[in-house]
Amino acid sequence: MKAYLDCFPCFMRQALHAARIATPDERIQREVLDRIATLLPGLPLDATPVDMGRQIYKAVGEITGSSDPYIEIKREYNDRALAIYPRLQGHIQASPDHLLTAVKLAALGNIIDFGANPEFDLDKSIEDGLAREFTASDYPLLTERLAEVEGVLYIGDNAGEIVFDRILAEQLNRLGKKVVFVVRGAPIINDATMDDASYVGMDQVAEVITSGVDGPGTTLRFCRPEFIEIFRKAGLILAKGQGNFEGLSDEHAPLFFLLTAKCPVIAQELGVEVGALVLHAQAGLKRRQDDQG
Amino acid sequence: MKAYLDCFPCFMRQALHAARIATPDERIQREVLDRIATLLPGLPLDATPVDMGRQIYKAVGEITGSSDPYIEIKREYNDRALAIYPRLQGHIQASPDHLLTAVKLAALGNIIDFGANPEFDLDKSIEDGLAREFTASDYPLLTERLAEVEGVLYIGDNAGEIVFDRILAEQLNRLGKKVVFVVRGAPIINDATMDDASYVGMDQVAEVITSGVDGPGTTLRFCRPEFIEIFRKAGLILAKGQGNFEGLSDEHAPLFFLLTAKCPVIAQELGVEVGALVLHAQAGLKRRQDDQG
């Protein structure tokens, strides 16, 4: 999807947030904002928000000298999510449709921001989340497609959330599906990398590869050629989070987007309210179903 | 007060909002954002948010060719506030302390944004607002100071809100105080100008003058010399809204700020929660009271 004008203020906000995590020095934070302001007029009209995000976090790294400012936050996210892993499994086992519950938990994992509030009650948040409506009218299409394929290309999003992804990967394994789990090619914000995948044991339930992308979402032109080939051949792609939706929503591919709509622009694109848990099949997949139906 | 780094994303947001009101053309809206982005790195570290606001709305006017895009919105704000004027008077008459209720209504008038929601229930909002706590520990200081002066210099803020200001001006008149009501020198966002003052009959209860300022708040260096002289001689100045607080909070003057704290930065400066109704005496006034007490 193309960046909306509403994304421009948000780019500044994201840059400030990242700069503050990277350094307490206000002069350097101001320098980061000035650099982003200088970049904005050059943003092409057809650029996606992830393209700009990539430039923002590169600038933060260059100016603050911190290449992975979120490393400790990511570790904490992973630890807190791992601590409730047994209870997440319990929710799955107690539910009538294990796969649906795992899909919903994976969408829910996308919203949990441990960093925002140290008193954050993760258990309560999951109870509340499981009770919420799940905009998953495309779930029948997912199960139908799943029956036709041998494996799933699963493009991950954030650290912490990756534990929820592991739960879904396990359910896919139980259905006899091989999972190839994709992480970013370099540290970017709190996005999951190869280190996070190993840390939470994703490599025990999936083959873990990197897309090679160094932005906060998957845009094919920034991916390594080997990944693009895997992407093009995949029979079913599950893409987590806003960044992957932003970068891939215009691709013709068997994509299912699984995310929490956190910003008004993405909620509008998806036709849902802000905060909605969403499973959204790429338009081409829906048309195919309509043709057959 | 100086602009915080948090104001930078907000400058972009304000510019986009104003550009959208001035024109439906997205290319022109983008041009406005690009111009603001170009201006940001040049913003001096000691600039107030109003200084930047002034540049933002100048740029919007220049680029969109619309010098007063809010003129219809302002008229609607005034009409809707005038429609409930009798009920506002009723609230005053029904209250034990007429002046305090008028002060609270004037602060409440600062939050009402008719534009945000066409279904906005003004009556209900006022009922709710009057029931809310009023951060007015400086009210005794205001009444004390009021007893010592012949008149009040009352620096207004927005259209619509100016009807609430008229209610307070009437109460000040009843206490035998002359009111000089100050409007901006040129149209800027939805800020009240001489036209709005005439439209709502402010000229019947106060002498209406302009500060000469062409920004969305009062910064003395942009005011006309005659106003600065009046400001310097005033025994009691009531300044409405965030823009006047931003521009005047560092002035040594007998200032009382009356506003709703709408943004986190201003709430932090004032030590209150976002959304709080505030009457805040300038520090010098408080010290004087402490010395005497």
Side-chain angles (χ1 to χ4, degrees):
Chain A
M1 78 180 241
K2 289 176 194 170
Y4 285 54
L5 295 180
D6 305 79
C7 302
F8 283 56
C10 195
F11 292 145
M12 297 293 284
R13 198 185 50 72
Q14 288 176 47
L16 179 57
H17 187 255
R20 282 179 170 159
I21 285 181
T23 173
D25 187 328
E26 284 201 15
R27 282 170 312 123
I28 300 179
Q29 294 165 3
R30 167 74 195 253
E31 209 180 313
V32 168
L33 289 184
D34 288 350
R35 171 82 68 89
I36 305 311
T38 310
L39 292 172
L40 284 177
L43 188 70
L45 286 173
D46 62 347
T48 72
V50 201
D51 295 339
M52 190 64 203
R54 188 170 163 271
Q55 293 192 58
I56 288 171
Y57 293 99
K58 269 189 191 302
V60 170
E62 278 170 33
I63 294 170
T64 66
S66 172
S67 63
D68 192 5
Y70 287 78
I71 190 163
E72 287 173 26
I73 292 172
K74 289 199 288 182
R75 177 60 65 98
E76 192 203 328
Y77 282 25
N78 287 331
D79 285 339
R80 293 187 63 178
L82 282 172
I84 61 157
Y85 173 84
R87 287 199 290 285
L88 295 179
Q89 285 290 10
H91 284 297
I92 305 262
Q93 297 310 321
S95 69
D97 183 339
H98 292 192
L99 181 66
L100 178 61
T101 305
V103 168
K104 191 171 179 181
L105 279 174
L108 195 58
N110 184 234
I111 203 182
I112 295 169
D113 188 350
F114 309 101
N117 180 1
E119 303 300 313
F120 186 80
D121 186 338
L122 190 50
D123 274 320
K124 186 173 180 313
S125 168
I126 287 160
E127 294 287 351
D128 292 350
L130 284 171
R132 273 163 60 196
E133 200 183 343
F134 181 32
T135 311
S137 56
D138 289 333
Y139 181 66
L141 189 57
L142 176 70
T143 54
E144 193 180 290
R145 187 85 188 189
L146 206 50
E148 297 168 8
V149 297
E150 289 183 7
V152 174
L153 185 66
Y154 191 132
I155 309 179
D157 191 26
N158 298 324
E161 176 183 351
I162 194 175
V163 174
F164 294 73
D165 297 326
R166 182 184 156 164
I167 299 265
L168 177 50
E170 286 167 4
Q171 290 304 316
L172 292 168
N173 284 173
R174 294 220 168 98
L175 296 171
K177 307 300 167 188
K178 178 179 183 314
V179 176
V180 175
F181 190 82
V182 187
V183 294
R184 311 278 188 246
I188 176 92
I189 334 179
N190 60 335
D191 290 19
T193 61
M194 201 56 100
D195 286 346
D196 300 296
S198 306
Y199 191 76
V200 307
M202 180 63 88
D203 48 2
Q204 295 162 32
V205 297
E207 179 189 348
V208 183
I209 64 171
T210 88
S211 59
V213 90
D214 58 352
T218 307
T219 311
L220 289 185
R221 71 174 173 285
F222 295 121
C223 291
R224 60 195 180 91
E226 297 81 359
F227 172 76
I228 296 173
E229 206 182 320
I230 294 167
F231 182 91
R232 290 293 175 212
K233 286 182 180 163
L236 198 168
I237 307 165
L238 203 51
K240 286 290 301 289
Q242 294 193 154
N244 289 328
F245 175 75
E246 291 168 6
L248 296 172
S249 65
D250 294 327
E251 297 295 338
H252 293 282
L255 276 155
F256 286 84
F257 297 102
L258 186 55
L259 68 150
T260 303
K262 298 178 211 172
C263 92
V265 164
I266 288 187
Q268 189 183 321
E269 281 272 319
L270 289 164
V272 299
E273 299 288 308
V274 170
L277 306 176
V278 181
L279 174 69
H280 174 81
Q282 190 66 306
L285 288 170
K286 285 184 193 172
R287 273 198 299 277
R288 199 183 121 188
Q289 189 192 38
D290 292 344
D291 292 346
Q292 291 175 344
Chain B
M1 77 180 241
K2 288 176 195 170
Y4 284 54
L5 295 180
D6 305 79
C7 301
F8 282 56
C10 196
F11 292 144
M12 298 292 284
R13 198 184 51 71
Q14 288 175 48
L16 179 58
H17 188 255
R20 282 180 169 158
I21 285 182
T23 173
D25 187 329
E26 285 200 15
R27 283 171 311 123
I28 300 179
Q29 293 165 3
R30 166 75 194 254
E31 208 180 313
V32 167
L33 289 184
D34 288 350
R35 171 82 68 88
I36 305 310
T38 311
L39 291 173
L40 284 177
L43 188 71
L45 287 173
D46 62 348
T48 72
V50 202
D51 295 339
M52 190 64 201
R54 187 169 162 271
Q55 292 192 59
I56 288 172
Y57 294 99
K58 268 188 192 302
V60 170
E62 279 170 31
I63 294 169
T64 66
S66 172
S67 63
D68 193 4
Y70 287 78
I71 190 164
E72 287 174 26
I73 292 172
K74 288 199 289 182
R75 176 61 64 100
E76 192 203 329
Y77 283 23
N78 287 332
D79 285 339
R80 292 187 63 179
L82 282 172
I84 61 157
Y85 173 82
R87 289 200 288 285
L88 295 179
Q89 285 290 10
H91 283 297
I92 305 262
Q93 296 310 319
S95 69
D97 184 337
H98 293 191
L99 181 67
L100 177 61
T101 305
V103 167
K104 191 171 180 181
L105 279 173
L108 194 57
N110 183 235
I111 203 181
I112 295 168
D113 188 348
F114 309 101
N117 180 1
E119 304 299 312
F120 186 79
D121 186 337
L122 190 50
D123 274 320
K124 187 174 180 311
S125 169
I126 287 160
E127 294 287 349
D128 292 351
L130 284 170
R132 275 163 60 197
E133 199 183 344
F134 182 32
T135 311
S137 56
D138 288 336
Y139 180 66
L141 189 56
L142 175 70
T143 54
E144 194 180 290
R145 187 84 186 189
L146 206 51
E148 297 168 5
V149 296
E150 289 184 7
V152 174
L153 185 67
Y154 191 132
I155 308 179
D157 191 25
N158 298 325
E161 177 182 350
I162 194 177
V163 173
F164 294 73
D165 296 327
R166 182 185 155 163
I167 299 264
L168 177 50
E170 285 167 4
Q171 290 304 317
L172 292 168
N173 283 174
R174 292 218 171 100
L175 296 170
K177 307 300 167 187
K178 179 178 183 312
V179 176
V180 175
F181 190 83
V182 186
V183 293
R184 310 280 188 245
I188 176 90
I189 336 178
N190 61 335
D191 290 19
T193 61
M194 200 57 99
D195 286 347
D196 300 297
S198 304
Y199 191 75
V200 307
M202 181 62 89
D203 47 3
Q204 295 163 30
V205 297
E207 179 190 349
V208 184
I209 65 170
T210 87
S211 59
V213 90
D214 57 352
T218 307
T219 312
L220 289 186
R221 70 174 173 285
F222 295 121
C223 291
R224 59 192 181 93
E226 297 82 358
F227 172 76
I228 296 173
E229 205 182 322
I230 294 167
F231 182 91
R232 290 291 175 215
K233 286 182 182 164
L236 198 169
I237 306 165
L238 204 50
K240 285 291 300 289
Q242 295 193 152
N244 289 328
F245 175 75
E246 291 168 7
L248 296 171
S249 65
D250 294 328
E251 297 294 338
H252 293 280
L255 276 155
F256 286 85
F257 297 102
L258 185 57
L259 68 152
T260 303
K262 298 177 211 174
C263 92
V265 164
I266 287 186
Q268 188 183 322
E269 281 272 320
L270 288 164
V272 299
E273 298 289 308
V274 170
L277 305 176
V278 181
L279 173 70
H280 174 81
Q282 190 66 306
L285 288 169
K286 286 185 193 172
R287 273 198 299 276
R288 197 184 120 189
Q289 189 193 38
D290 293 345
D291 291 348
Q292 290 175 343

